[in-house]
Amino acid sequence: MTQPGSLVLVATPIGNLGDLSARALEVLGDAEVVACEDTRRTRRLLSAAGIRATRLEALHAHNERERTPALVRAMEAGATVALVSDAGTPTISDPGSRLVAAAVAAGLAVSVVPGPSAAVAAVALSGFNANRWVFEGFLPTRGRERRERVAAIAAETRPVVCYEAPHRIASTLAELAAVCGPERAAVLARELTKLHEEVWRGTLAELAARAAAGEPRGEHTFVVAGASPDPPPSAEEILAAVHDALATGSSTREAAAIAARRCGCPRAVAYRVALEVRSGGSVVSP
Ligand code: SAM
């Protein structure tokens, strides 16, 4: 049961119509207005689900700003507005955030019927540790902004999920292989939940070569494994850093602080090494 005069975000299938939930059907059937990116596409979805009477209103990247006030007024007058996108969860690399923010600002109730999203589906399939992960959406197509995002992915220790257009997938994977290193693991998920669903697993270099060898078609989401965190410093590195610091006249405490900063190890560990060096003892292991 939806609250009158409210906004409901409704996730729709990313391919397989069977993924439209029972609650999504109920909300879409009951809503006075369904705001959607493409009215023809959503009409087909609703018809396939046996829903005919609903009023559809286009809300897409190019008109969201101007359409939002009227939709808010409709909700204030008591209408329930359901928001869908062409596929998956609205607002995720899709329009809708502006309408959500406006509804919240107007004091209207906003709820969600959760469901498919390509990002969640791909990271779950990846097999990478998905307790923490990063969603990058579509990378900028060129320039400094793109270089910065790619560099951020290279440094990121959590898995990173990106959407990409089929004609760019090979070049994007090649660029990531060059910046993250060719051996970084990745997973490419294509046409998830559809007839030609494919999941490729390998290194970035392997996936880039495979994509370049064909003519990728359809919808692609890829996941880049997180970078391995820097290995802890070796005993020799800490000892060398302590020696260097003591040689410049630093006190034991100062030398420990300098070595800890340089090696990225706990100060207490460097301090123990510095004490050993000062007392002329042999340092076995920090
Ligand atoms: N809001 C949607 C969601 O929650 O998944 C994403 C919308 S975004 C405009 C569309 C992109 O999602 C596609 O270009 C593709 O990268 C990814 N995508 C959508 N459906 C997919 C599918 N079935 N398999 C793989 N990726 C998909």
Side-chain angles (χ1 to χ4, degrees), residues 67-155:
R67 291 299 305 142
T68 289
L71 286 167
V72 168
R73 281 196 298 278
M75 289 185 276
E76 285 173 332
T80 300
V81 173
L83 171 69
V84 300
S85 60
D86 277 353
T89 300
T91 80
I92 308 298
S93 291
D94 265 339
S97 300
R98 186 183 291 274
L99 179 61
V100 173
V104 171
L108 296 161
V110 180
S111 60
V112 66
V113 179
S117 184
V120 174
V123 76
L125 273 175
S126 73
F128 303 140
N129 185 336
N131 289 342
R132 292 187 180 78
W133 53 279
V134 174
F135 176 59
E136 272 286 345
F138 291 98
L139 290 172
T141 51
R142 64 176 83 85
R144 186 171 141 203
E145 226 192 317
R146 179 175 173 98
R147 285 194 298 279
E148 283 174 0
R149 298 322 309 149
V150 169
I153 292 173

Side-chain angles (χ1 to χ4, degrees), residues 14 87-89 92-94 116-118 138 163-164 189-192 194 219-221:
I14 56 171
T89 300
I92 308 298
S93 291
D94 265 339
S117 184
F138 291 98
Y163 292 152
E164 188 53 290
R190 194 180 84 81
E191 296 285 88
L192 288 174
K194 303 186 197 178
E219 315 238 46
H220 292 72
T221 299

